[in-house]
Amino acid sequence: MIFLFIVAVCLFLYSVFVENIFSSRLSPKDSAKIELNDLKLKVEYNRPSKRERQIFGALVPFNKVWRTGANEATTFETNKDLLVNDLLLNKGKYTIWTVPMENTWKVMFNSRQYAWGVNEKMEPMWDPNFDVIETEVPIEKLETVVEKFTIAFDNKTGDLKLTMAWDNTLIEIPLKEVASEKP
């Protein structure tokens, strides 16, 4: 009983002075998954909220690398080789980094795994030397506001896309499985 009491007191003190482990995160973890035949794709990310803030060009500056979400670095995993906007991405696990701009976004798939998205100076932990591909996609302005940053897969027309939406901005990154040659 004494041991359990000490553990409870330590958790309480940690919660009060370091991090409230009992409250929900402001940017909760989420994932997006899709399975098409034997292709399996998965994104794990954190979802910051707009909360009446100006997002792109302010909270997320234009022309600077963004961790693409909040907290931990966003990860993308594929079990098959893909064409990402016509660029080859080999099967594996990557981190996704973006550079939001006024009319387009750069999207980088990076082979390094990072424990967190930013350092103590709030600078992205991204190392460009590990970028496997970089592509640029146009933005689409939305009529409605997306309150929570959202990553999803869209295959409703048979053309698979990785989508990212927040505030009044949407980007779509075309994905296509590389056809394997059968003997």
Side-chain angles (χ1 to χ4, degrees):
M1 290 294 273
I2 294 172
F3 175 73
L4 290 176
F5 176 75
I6 292 171
V7 168
V9 168
C10 288
L11 283 173
F12 174 76
L13 292 174
Y14 180 83
S15 176
V16 169
F17 294 108
V18 179
E19 174 183 8
N20 188 349
I21 58 176
F22 301 109
S23 69
S24 60
R25 292 174 126 189
L26 288 175
S27 301
K29 289 184 180 187
D30 204 348
S31 63
K33 300 176 188 177
I34 193 167
E35 291 187 23
L36 299 168
N37 299 318
D38 57 350
L39 174 64
K40 295 177 183 167
L41 304 176
K42 179 179 180 180
V43 174
E44 292 181 328
Y45 67 109
N46 289 273
R47 299 184 71 190
S49 296
K50 179 174 170 52
R51 293 194 306 272
E52 299 181 20
R53 301 177 289 182
Q54 183 180 351
I55 301 303
F56 298 108
L59 179 66
V60 178
F62 285 133
N63 305 310
K64 292 194 177 192
V65 174
W66 179 44
R67 63 180 147 178
T68 316
N71 305 331
E72 296 89 354
T74 295
T75 61
F76 176 91
E77 195 165 357
T78 175
N79 70 331
K80 301 279 186 179
D81 293 347
L82 295 175
L83 290 177
V84 177
N85 208 16
D86 294 326
L87 299 170
L88 179 63
L89 181 70
N90 292 318
K91 69 180 178 179
K93 187 173 184 178
Y94 301 90
T95 50
I96 298 178
W97 304 85
T98 52
V99 178
M101 297 176 283
E102 288 189 55
N103 299 310
T104 62
W105 280 23
K106 288 182 187 172
V107 181
M108 293 85 75
F109 288 78
N110 190 285
S111 63
R112 187 168 175 203
Q113 299 301 304
Y114 304 82
W116 202 251
V118 293
N119 62 22
E120 61 280 349
K121 296 178 185 175
M122 296 304 288
E123 300 165 333
M125 294 184 80
W126 163 75
D127 183 343
N129 295 312
F130 292 91
D131 283 353
V132 176
I133 62 171
E134 178 183 305
T135 189
E136 196 165 323
V137 294
I139 67 160
E140 179 182 329
K141 288 294 182 183
L142 301 171
E143 301 270 330
T144 59
V145 171
V146 177
E147 175 63 26
K148 287 183 174 272
F149 177 62
T150 302
I151 298 178
F153 292 101
D154 179 351
N155 193 43
K156 64 182 170 257
T157 63
D159 293 323
L160 181 60
K161 298 175 193 91
L162 175 64
T163 65
M164 297 179 193
W166 197 17
D167 194 7
N168 65 343
T169 300
L170 169 74
I171 65 164
E172 298 179 327
I173 306 154
L175 304 175
K176 187 183 291 186
E177 182 180 353
V178 174
S180 59
E181 294 181 23
K182 296 187 179 182

PDB file of all heavy atoms in Angstrom, residues 126-153:
ATOM      1  N   TRP A 126      14.157  18.409 -39.132  1.00  0.00           N
ATOM      2  CA  TRP A 126      14.353  17.868 -40.472  1.00  0.00           C
ATOM      3  C   TRP A 126      15.788  18.069 -40.943  1.00  0.00           C
ATOM      4  O   TRP A 126      16.355  19.145 -40.826  1.00  0.00           O
ATOM      5  CB  TRP A 126      13.367  18.572 -41.394  1.00  0.00           C
ATOM      6  CG  TRP A 126      13.625  18.491 -42.865  1.00  0.00           C
ATOM      7  CD1 TRP A 126      13.412  17.411 -43.670  1.00  0.00           C
ATOM      8  CD2 TRP A 126      14.092  19.539 -43.714  1.00  0.00           C
ATOM      9  NE1 TRP A 126      13.725  17.730 -44.972  1.00  0.00           N
ATOM     10  CE2 TRP A 126      14.144  19.037 -45.015  1.00  0.00           C
ATOM     11  CE3 TRP A 126      14.474  20.858 -43.491  1.00  0.00           C
ATOM     12  CZ2 TRP A 126      14.554  19.788 -46.101  1.00  0.00           C
ATOM     13  CZ3 TRP A 126      14.885  21.612 -44.571  1.00  0.00           C
ATOM     14  CH2 TRP A 126      14.917  21.075 -45.854  1.00  0.00           C
ATOM     15  N   ASP A 127      16.366  17.011 -41.493  1.00  0.00           N
ATOM     16  CA  ASP A 127      17.699  17.062 -42.095  1.00  0.00           C
ATOM     17  C   ASP A 127      17.536  16.803 -43.593  1.00  0.00           C
ATOM     18  O   ASP A 127      17.215  15.682 -43.994  1.00  0.00           O
ATOM     19  CB  ASP A 127      18.617  16.025 -41.461  1.00  0.00           C
ATOM     20  CG  ASP A 127      20.041  16.065 -41.998  1.00  0.00           C
ATOM     21  OD1 ASP A 127      20.276  16.667 -43.079  1.00  0.00           O
ATOM     22  OD2 ASP A 127      20.921  15.483 -41.350  1.00  0.00           O
ATOM     23  N   PRO A 128      17.738  17.815 -44.447  1.00  0.00           N
ATOM     24  CA  PRO A 128      17.500  17.656 -45.890  1.00  0.00           C
ATOM     25  C   PRO A 128      18.388  16.608 -46.542  1.00  0.00           C
ATOM     26  O   PRO A 128      18.070  16.117 -47.624  1.00  0.00           O
ATOM     27  CB  PRO A 128      17.769  19.051 -46.454  1.00  0.00           C
ATOM     28  CG  PRO A 128      18.640  19.724 -45.451  1.00  0.00           C
ATOM     29  CD  PRO A 128      18.248  19.149 -44.116  1.00  0.00           C
ATOM     30  N   ASN A 129      19.497  16.236 -45.894  1.00  0.00           N
ATOM     31  CA  ASN A 129      20.380  15.219 -46.466  1.00  0.00           C
ATOM     32  C   ASN A 129      19.719  13.848 -46.549  1.00  0.00           C
ATOM     33  O   ASN A 129      20.204  12.969 -47.247  1.00  0.00           O
ATOM     34  CB  ASN A 129      21.667  15.116 -45.640  1.00  0.00           C
ATOM     35  CG  ASN A 129      22.478  16.386 -45.720  1.00  0.00           C
ATOM     36  OD1 ASN A 129      22.716  16.919 -46.800  1.00  0.00           O
ATOM     37  ND2 ASN A 129      22.873  16.909 -44.568  1.00  0.00           N
ATOM     38  N   PHE A 130      18.606  13.668 -45.828  1.00  0.00           N
ATOM     39  CA  PHE A 130      17.904  12.387 -45.835  1.00  0.00           C
ATOM     40  C   PHE A 130      16.630  12.417 -46.686  1.00  0.00           C
ATOM     41  O   PHE A 130      15.876  11.452 -46.703  1.00  0.00           O
ATOM     42  CB  PHE A 130      17.586  11.950 -44.393  1.00  0.00           C
ATOM     43  CG  PHE A 130      18.812  11.605 -43.600  1.00  0.00           C
ATOM     44  CD1 PHE A 130      19.457  12.574 -42.841  1.00  0.00           C
ATOM     45  CD2 PHE A 130      19.339  10.325 -43.629  1.00  0.00           C
ATOM     46  CE1 PHE A 130      20.603  12.265 -42.122  1.00  0.00           C
ATOM     47  CE2 PHE A 130      20.477  10.006 -42.912  1.00  0.00           C
ATOM     48  CZ  PHE A 130      21.122  10.973 -42.159  1.00  0.00           C
ATOM     49  N   ASP A 131      16.398  13.532 -47.394  1.00  0.00           N
ATOM     50  CA  ASP A 131      15.229  13.583 -48.285  1.00  0.00           C
ATOM     51  C   ASP A 131      15.422  12.590 -49.421  1.00  0.00           C
ATOM     52  O   ASP A 131      16.449  12.595 -50.102  1.00  0.00           O
ATOM     53  CB  ASP A 131      15.044  14.989 -48.871  1.00  0.00           C
ATOM     54  CG  ASP A 131      14.427  15.956 -47.880  1.00  0.00           C
ATOM     55  OD1 ASP A 131      14.021  15.517 -46.786  1.00  0.00           O
ATOM     56  OD2 ASP A 131      14.356  17.158 -48.192  1.00  0.00           O
ATOM     57  N   VAL A 132      14.434  11.748 -49.611  1.00  0.00           N
ATOM     58  CA  VAL A 132      14.459  10.771 -50.687  1.00  0.00           C
ATOM     59  C   VAL A 132      13.818  11.368 -51.930  1.00  0.00           C
ATOM     60  O   VAL A 132      14.332  11.223 -53.039  1.00  0.00           O
ATOM     61  CB  VAL A 132      13.740   9.471 -50.257  1.00  0.00           C
ATOM     62  CG1 VAL A 132      13.670   8.469 -51.392  1.00  0.00           C
ATOM     63  CG2 VAL A 132      14.429   8.866 -49.038  1.00  0.00           C
ATOM     64  N   ILE A 133      12.687  12.036 -51.734  1.00  0.00           N
ATOM     65  CA  ILE A 133      12.057  12.774 -52.832  1.00  0.00           C
ATOM     66  C   ILE A 133      11.500  14.093 -52.309  1.00  0.00           C
ATOM     67  O   ILE A 133      11.182  14.229 -51.127  1.00  0.00           O
ATOM     68  CB  ILE A 133      10.939  11.975 -53.546  1.00  0.00           C
ATOM     69  CG1 ILE A 133       9.799  11.630 -52.591  1.00  0.00           C
ATOM     70  CG2 ILE A 133      11.468  10.754 -54.237  1.00  0.00           C
ATOM     71  CD1 ILE A 133       8.598  11.038 -53.286  1.00  0.00           C
ATOM     72  N   GLU A 134      11.416  15.045 -53.216  1.00  0.00           N
ATOM     73  CA  GLU A 134      10.762  16.326 -52.961  1.00  0.00           C
ATOM     74  C   GLU A 134       9.886  16.607 -54.166  1.00  0.00           C
ATOM     75  O   GLU A 134      10.339  16.514 -55.298  1.00  0.00           O
ATOM     76  CB  GLU A 134      11.788  17.432 -52.786  1.00  0.00           C
ATOM     77  CG  GLU A 134      11.166  18.804 -52.574  1.00  0.00           C
ATOM     78  CD  GLU A 134      12.217  19.910 -52.468  1.00  0.00           C
ATOM     79  OE1 GLU A 134      13.117  19.801 -51.624  1.00  0.00           O
ATOM     80  OE2 GLU A 134      12.106  20.881 -53.250  1.00  0.00           O
ATOM     81  N   THR A 135       8.644  16.936 -53.893  1.00  0.00           N
ATOM     82  CA  THR A 135       7.717  17.241 -54.972  1.00  0.00           C
ATOM     83  C   THR A 135       6.934  18.497 -54.612  1.00  0.00           C
ATOM     84  O   THR A 135       6.894  18.884 -53.444  1.00  0.00           O
ATOM     85  CB  THR A 135       6.769  16.054 -55.261  1.00  0.00           C
ATOM     86  OG1 THR A 135       6.035  16.296 -56.444  1.00  0.00           O
ATOM     87  CG2 THR A 135       5.839  15.777 -54.091  1.00  0.00           C
ATOM     88  N   GLU A 136       6.333  19.110 -55.584  1.00  0.00           N
ATOM     89  CA  GLU A 136       5.557  20.319 -55.343  1.00  0.00           C
ATOM     90  C   GLU A 136       4.153  20.107 -55.887  1.00  0.00           C
ATOM     91  O   GLU A 136       3.981  19.606 -56.995  1.00  0.00           O
ATOM     92  CB  GLU A 136       6.220  21.515 -56.016  1.00  0.00           C
ATOM     93  CG  GLU A 136       5.726  22.844 -55.514  1.00  0.00           C
ATOM     94  CD  GLU A 136       6.639  24.004 -55.919  1.00  0.00           C
ATOM     95  OE1 GLU A 136       7.879  23.832 -55.946  1.00  0.00           O
ATOM     96  OE2 GLU A 136       6.097  25.079 -56.203  1.00  0.00           O
ATOM     97  N   VAL A 137       3.152  20.465 -55.076  1.00  0.00           N
ATOM     98  CA  VAL A 137       1.757  20.294 -55.470  1.00  0.00           C
ATOM     99  C   VAL A 137       0.999  21.602 -55.240  1.00  0.00           C
ATOM    100  O   VAL A 137       1.338  22.372 -54.346  1.00  0.00           O
ATOM    101  CB  VAL A 137       1.069  19.145 -54.696  1.00  0.00           C
ATOM    102  CG1 VAL A 137       1.678  17.800 -55.058  1.00  0.00           C
ATOM    103  CG2 VAL A 137       1.145  19.370 -53.194  1.00  0.00           C
ATOM    104  N   PRO A 138      -0.026  21.859 -56.068  1.00  0.00           N
ATOM    105  CA  PRO A 138      -0.797  23.098 -55.899  1.00  0.00           C
ATOM    106  C   PRO A 138      -1.720  23.003 -54.676  1.00  0.00           C
ATOM    107  O   PRO A 138      -2.108  21.907 -54.271  1.00  0.00           O
ATOM    108  CB  PRO A 138      -1.621  23.181 -57.189  1.00  0.00           C
ATOM    109  CG  PRO A 138      -1.754  21.762 -57.642  1.00  0.00           C
ATOM    110  CD  PRO A 138      -0.490  21.068 -57.210  1.00  0.00           C
ATOM    111  N   ILE A 139      -2.070  24.159 -54.136  1.00  0.00           N
ATOM    112  CA  ILE A 139      -3.062  24.185 -53.060  1.00  0.00           C
ATOM    113  C   ILE A 139      -4.434  24.431 -53.668  1.00  0.00           C
ATOM    114  O   ILE A 139      -4.558  24.954 -54.780  1.00  0.00           O
ATOM    115  CB  ILE A 139      -2.762  25.266 -51.990  1.00  0.00           C
ATOM    116  CG1 ILE A 139      -2.926  26.676 -52.576  1.00  0.00           C
ATOM    117  CG2 ILE A 139      -1.413  25.063 -51.366  1.00  0.00           C
ATOM    118  CD1 ILE A 139      -3.132  27.727 -51.515  1.00  0.00           C
ATOM    119  N   GLU A 140      -5.440  24.016 -52.945  1.00  0.00           N
ATOM    120  CA  GLU A 140      -6.821  24.310 -53.310  1.00  0.00           C
ATOM    121  C   GLU A 140      -7.435  25.049 -52.129  1.00  0.00           C
ATOM    122  O   GLU A 140      -7.307  24.613 -50.982  1.00  0.00           O
ATOM    123  CB  GLU A 140      -7.575  22.997 -53.555  1.00  0.00           C
ATOM    124  CG  GLU A 140      -9.024  23.182 -53.916  1.00  0.00           C
ATOM    125  CD  GLU A 140      -9.751  21.850 -54.092  1.00  0.00           C
ATOM    126  OE1 GLU A 140      -9.116  20.867 -54.508  1.00  0.00           O
ATOM    127  OE2 GLU A 140     -10.957  21.815 -53.790  1.00  0.00           O
ATOM    128  N   LYS A 141      -8.042  26.196 -52.392  1.00  0.00           N
ATOM    129  CA  LYS A 141      -8.732  26.949 -51.339  1.00  0.00           C
ATOM    130  C   LYS A 141     -10.109  26.333 -51.122  1.00  0.00           C
ATOM    131  O   LYS A 141     -10.842  26.074 -52.077  1.00  0.00           O
ATOM    132  CB  LYS A 141      -8.863  28.430 -51.710  1.00  0.00           C
ATOM    133  CG  LYS A 141      -7.543  29.174 -51.644  1.00  0.00           C
ATOM    134  CD  LYS A 141      -7.043  29.249 -50.218  1.00  0.00           C
ATOM    135  CE  LYS A 141      -5.752  30.026 -50.133  1.00  0.00           C
ATOM    136  NZ  LYS A 141      -5.231  30.045 -48.771  1.00  0.00           N
ATOM    137  N   LEU A 142     -10.442  26.092 -49.866  1.00  0.00           N
ATOM    138  CA  LEU A 142     -11.710  25.472 -49.508  1.00  0.00           C
ATOM    139  C   LEU A 142     -12.746  26.526 -49.136  1.00  0.00           C
ATOM    140  O   LEU A 142     -12.400  27.584 -48.599  1.00  0.00           O
ATOM    141  CB  LEU A 142     -11.509  24.515 -48.329  1.00  0.00           C
ATOM    142  CG  LEU A 142     -10.507  23.384 -48.555  1.00  0.00           C
ATOM    143  CD1 LEU A 142     -10.242  22.644 -47.255  1.00  0.00           C
ATOM    144  CD2 LEU A 142     -11.012  22.432 -49.633  1.00  0.00           C
ATOM    145  N   GLU A 143     -13.993  26.197 -49.375  1.00  0.00           N
ATOM    146  CA  GLU A 143     -15.101  27.090 -49.011  1.00  0.00           C
ATOM    147  C   GLU A 143     -15.369  27.022 -47.507  1.00  0.00           C
ATOM    148  O   GLU A 143     -15.858  27.974 -46.919  1.00  0.00           O
ATOM    149  CB  GLU A 143     -16.368  26.686 -49.772  1.00  0.00           C
ATOM    150  CG  GLU A 143     -16.219  26.721 -51.271  1.00  0.00           C
ATOM    151  CD  GLU A 143     -16.584  28.057 -51.861  1.00  0.00           C
ATOM    152  OE1 GLU A 143     -17.442  28.737 -51.293  1.00  0.00           O
ATOM    153  OE2 GLU A 143     -16.005  28.407 -52.902  1.00  0.00           O
ATOM    154  N   THR A 144     -15.089  25.871 -46.908  1.00  0.00           N
ATOM    155  CA  THR A 144     -15.332  25.685 -45.479  1.00  0.00           C
ATOM    156  C   THR A 144     -14.000  25.591 -44.737  1.00  0.00           C
ATOM    157  O   THR A 144     -12.966  25.282 -45.329  1.00  0.00           O
ATOM    158  CB  THR A 144     -16.135  24.398 -45.212  1.00  0.00           C
ATOM    159  OG1 THR A 144     -15.395  23.284 -45.720  1.00  0.00           O
ATOM    160  CG2 THR A 144     -17.497  24.443 -45.874  1.00  0.00           C
ATOM    161  N   VAL A 145     -14.052  25.836 -43.446  1.00  0.00           N
ATOM    162  CA  VAL A 145     -12.850  25.797 -42.617  1.00  0.00           C
ATOM    163  C   VAL A 145     -12.690  24.404 -42.008  1.00  0.00           C
ATOM    164  O   VAL A 145     -13.639  23.845 -41.454  1.00  0.00           O
ATOM    165  CB  VAL A 145     -12.926  26.869 -41.503  1.00  0.00           C
ATOM    166  CG1 VAL A 145     -11.801  26.700 -40.500  1.00  0.00           C
ATOM    167  CG2 VAL A 145     -12.894  28.255 -42.120  1.00  0.00           C
ATOM    168  N   VAL A 146     -11.492  23.849 -42.111  1.00  0.00           N
ATOM    169  CA  VAL A 146     -11.155  22.580 -41.461  1.00  0.00           C
ATOM    170  C   VAL A 146     -10.511  22.944 -40.127  1.00  0.00           C
ATOM    171  O   VAL A 146      -9.408  23.501 -40.098  1.00  0.00           O
ATOM    172  CB  VAL A 146     -10.194  21.743 -42.345  1.00  0.00           C
ATOM    173  CG1 VAL A 146      -9.781  20.461 -41.638  1.00  0.00           C
ATOM    174  CG2 VAL A 146     -10.833  21.454 -43.697  1.00  0.00           C
ATOM    175  N   GLU A 147     -11.193  22.662 -39.023  1.00  0.00           N
ATOM    176  CA  GLU A 147     -10.734  23.060 -37.690  1.00  0.00           C
ATOM    177  C   GLU A 147      -9.469  22.314 -37.260  1.00  0.00           C
ATOM    178  O   GLU A 147      -8.540  22.908 -36.740  1.00  0.00           O
ATOM    179  CB  GLU A 147     -11.843  22.828 -36.656  1.00  0.00           C
ATOM    180  CG  GLU A 147     -11.453  23.090 -35.223  1.00  0.00           C
ATOM    181  CD  GLU A 147     -11.068  24.536 -34.915  1.00  0.00           C
ATOM    182  OE1 GLU A 147     -11.520  25.466 -35.604  1.00  0.00           O
ATOM    183  OE2 GLU A 147     -10.274  24.733 -33.965  1.00  0.00           O
ATOM    184  N   LYS A 148      -9.432  20.998 -37.465  1.00  0.00           N
ATOM    185  CA  LYS A 148      -8.271  20.191 -37.054  1.00  0.00           C
ATOM    186  C   LYS A 148      -7.493  19.752 -38.295  1.00  0.00           C
ATOM    187  O   LYS A 148      -8.088  19.275 -39.264  1.00  0.00           O
ATOM    188  CB  LYS A 148      -8.712  18.955 -36.280  1.00  0.00           C
ATOM    189  CG  LYS A 148      -9.193  19.243 -34.878  1.00  0.00           C
ATOM    190  CD  LYS A 148      -9.520  17.931 -34.183  1.00  0.00           C
ATOM    191  CE  LYS A 148      -9.854  18.156 -32.744  1.00  0.00           C
ATOM    192  NZ  LYS A 148      -8.690  18.127 -31.899  1.00  0.00           N
ATOM    193  N   PHE A 149      -6.176  19.915 -38.240  1.00  0.00           N
ATOM    194  CA  PHE A 149      -5.318  19.447 -39.327  1.00  0.00           C
ATOM    195  C   PHE A 149      -5.646  17.986 -39.601  1.00  0.00           C
ATOM    196  O   PHE A 149      -5.715  17.164 -38.675  1.00  0.00           O
ATOM    197  CB  PHE A 149      -3.849  19.611 -38.925  1.00  0.00           C
ATOM    198  CG  PHE A 149      -2.886  19.082 -39.947  1.00  0.00           C
ATOM    199  CD1 PHE A 149      -2.831  19.627 -41.210  1.00  0.00           C
ATOM    200  CD2 PHE A 149      -2.030  18.045 -39.635  1.00  0.00           C
ATOM    201  CE1 PHE A 149      -1.937  19.145 -42.162  1.00  0.00           C
ATOM    202  CE2 PHE A 149      -1.131  17.556 -40.570  1.00  0.00           C
ATOM    203  CZ  PHE A 149      -1.093  18.105 -41.837  1.00  0.00           C
ATOM    204  N   THR A 150      -5.876  17.668 -40.881  1.00  0.00           N
ATOM    205  CA  THR A 150      -6.334  16.331 -41.245  1.00  0.00           C
ATOM    206  C   THR A 150      -5.528  15.781 -42.412  1.00  0.00           C
ATOM    207  O   THR A 150      -5.389  16.438 -43.440  1.00  0.00           O
ATOM    208  CB  THR A 150      -7.831  16.362 -41.642  1.00  0.00           C
ATOM    209  OG1 THR A 150      -8.583  16.891 -40.544  1.00  0.00           O
ATOM    210  CG2 THR A 150      -8.344  14.981 -41.991  1.00  0.00           C
ATOM    211  N   ILE A 151      -5.026  14.564 -42.226  1.00  0.00           N
ATOM    212  CA  ILE A 151      -4.368  13.818 -43.303  1.00  0.00           C
ATOM    213  C   ILE A 151      -5.247  12.618 -43.602  1.00  0.00           C
ATOM    214  O   ILE A 151      -5.735  11.947 -42.689  1.00  0.00           O
ATOM    215  CB  ILE A 151      -2.950  13.371 -42.910  1.00  0.00           C
ATOM    216  CG1 ILE A 151      -2.054  14.588 -42.639  1.00  0.00           C
ATOM    217  CG2 ILE A 151      -2.348  12.486 -43.998  1.00  0.00           C
ATOM    218  CD1 ILE A 151      -0.636  14.237 -42.192  1.00  0.00           C
ATOM    219  N   ALA A 152      -5.470  12.351 -44.898  1.00  0.00           N
ATOM    220  CA  ALA A 152      -6.323  11.236 -45.293  1.00  0.00           C
ATOM    221  C   ALA A 152      -5.874  10.694 -46.638  1.00  0.00           C
ATOM    222  O   ALA A 152      -5.077  11.324 -47.339  1.00  0.00           O
ATOM    223  CB  ALA A 152      -7.785  11.695 -45.370  1.00  0.00           C
ATOM    224  N   PHE A 153      -6.392   9.535 -46.982  1.00  0.00           N
ATOM    225  CA  PHE A 153      -6.204   8.960 -48.305  1.00  0.00           C
ATOM    226  C   PHE A 153      -7.521   9.083 -49.054  1.00  0.00           C
ATOM    227  O   PHE A 153      -8.589   8.861 -48.498  1.00  0.00           O
ATOM    228  CB  PHE A 153      -5.788   7.489 -48.217  1.00  0.00           C
ATOM    229  CG  PHE A 153      -4.410   7.303 -47.645  1.00  0.00           C
ATOM    230  CD1 PHE A 153      -4.238   6.936 -46.318  1.00  0.00           C
ATOM    231  CD2 PHE A 153      -3.283   7.519 -48.426  1.00  0.00           C
ATOM    232  CE1 PHE A 153      -2.965   6.770 -45.783  1.00  0.00           C
ATOM    233  CE2 PHE A 153      -2.013   7.365 -47.903  1.00  0.00           C
ATOM    234  CZ  PHE A 153      -1.857   6.982 -46.574  1.00  0.00           C
TER     235      PHE A 153
END
